[in-house]
Amino acid sequence: GESVGLHLPTLSVQEGDNSIINCAYSNSASDYFIWYKQESGKGPQFIIDIRSNMDKRQGQRVTVLLNKTVKHLSLQIAATQPGDSAVYFCAENSGGSNYKLTFGKGTLLTVNP
Amino acid sequence: DSGVTQTPKHLITATGQRVTLRCSPRSGDLSVYWYQQSLDQGLQFLIQYYNGEERAKGNILERFSAQQFPDLHSELNLSSLELGDSALYFCASSHGQGIQLGGKAFFGQGTRLTVV
């Protein structure tokens, strides 16, 4: 069956360092991926997306890498700030008439000042 | 602010009761998605509506139902509530029919349901 993501791990970094959050997916039919950030008490917030015809996409301070060979996705956050502290989810969609986003369990990022 | 509005923010009710959660999508968005977030299951897709019609169903229990009204707001009805239904319920909206066709889905702040 479909499954995305890992058991909820925790990543702790120092302010100013780069962060890398990883995600594994198992549905090889998935061709669209999104990273969401969820702060305590708030809904998931879109960060960046990537389609399967790309292997890298950059946003503001964030980069998503997609390795379809090993079904792995990563989110890199440059110069991590305390405001980046949150749970980060990867989500997948297999396109076409599939309207469902399948979410991983998330990674808790803690940024130490 | 995502532009998606959910009410109420918090809801406490007893087992066996019925509640209605409300969602107003972003202006111009035609699709509404409902998700349940619990500690042990993570974010689970429940159901999607597009322009008033049901488009996709996920892990939604038979005790749960939803609808989307002509003004595009949506309601999620949860009945015969059980302790295990305690969770955060999120609504998301997007412009088009699907996640990819319609672009990114934006989430509301959620309704925290506590069943006691």
Side-chain angles (χ1 to χ4, degrees):
Chain A
E2 295 177 348
S3 68
V4 176
L6 309 171
H7 297 293
L8 183 62
T10 300
L11 176 65
S12 184
V13 301
Q14 290 298 123
E15 182 178 358
D17 287 352
N18 296 334
S19 303
I20 300 176
I21 300 170
N22 297 303
C23 175
Y25 64 96
S26 61
N27 185 356
S28 52
S30 293
D31 60 359
Y32 178 60
F33 304 87
I34 305 176
W35 280 99
Y36 282 93
K37 171 187 179 183
Q38 187 176 22
E39 297 173 274
S40 181
K42 296 186 178 181
Q45 176 189 353
F46 175 92
I47 301 174
I48 192 167
D49 59 357
I50 189 168
R51 297 189 184 277
S52 61
N53 60 353
M54 303 172 70
D55 53 20
K56 180 179 179 178
R57 191 166 188 220
Q58 289 184 292
Q60 187 176 19
R61 280 201 308 119
V62 294
T63 301
V64 55
L65 299 177
L66 174 62
N67 185 331
K68 295 181 288 293
T69 302
V70 295
K71 291 190 281 225
H72 183 269
L73 197 66
S74 69
L75 177 70
Q76 300 178 359
I77 305 174
T80 315
Q81 302 167 1
D84 295 327
S85 294
V87 177
Y88 289 80
F89 294 94
C90 62
E92 62 166 322
N93 173 259
S94 53
S97 60
N98 186 334
Y99 307 107
K100 185 175 78 168
L101 272 177
T102 300
F103 282 82
K105 293 207 169 151
T107 296
L108 174 62
L109 174 66
T110 302
V111 182
N112 302 307
Chain B
D1 181 8
S2 67
V4 179
T5 304
Q6 289 187 248
T7 57
K9 292 187 78 170
H10 302 277
L11 197 50
I12 301 175
T13 190
T15 55
Q17 295 297 305
R18 172 189 167 97
V19 296
T20 297
L21 313 183
R22 194 178 193 278
C23 170
S24 294
R26 293 186 319 153
S27 178
D29 283 358
L30 300 175
S31 277
V32 170
Y33 311 79
W34 285 98
Y35 283 81
Q36 179 193 57
Q37 186 176 37
S38 59
L39 284 174
D40 58 340
Q41 293 292 324
L43 270 159
Q44 298 285 316
F45 170 72
L46 296 178
I47 198 164
Q48 184 221 355
Y49 279 81
Y50 174 77
N51 204 20
E53 293 186 4
E54 181 185 307
R55 287 292 173 156
K57 259 187 174 179
N59 304 319
I60 188 166
L61 300 172
E62 287 190 10
R63 300 183 285 109
F64 296 180
S65 64
Q67 54 184 328
Q68 186 179 29
F69 295 86
D71 67 353
L72 301 176
H73 90 271
S74 178
E75 293 181 355
L76 179 66
N77 301 296
L78 314 175
S79 61
S80 303
L81 284 167
E82 303 174 359
L83 296 177
D85 297 326
S86 295
L88 272 167
Y89 291 84
F90 287 105
C91 168
S93 74
S94 67
H95 181 68
Q97 294 191 47
I99 291 292
Q100 297 195 43
L101 297 174
K104 335 180 238 283
F106 291 88
F107 283 76
Q109 299 290 294
T111 293
R112 181 173 293 281
L113 174 66
T114 303
V115 182
V116 298

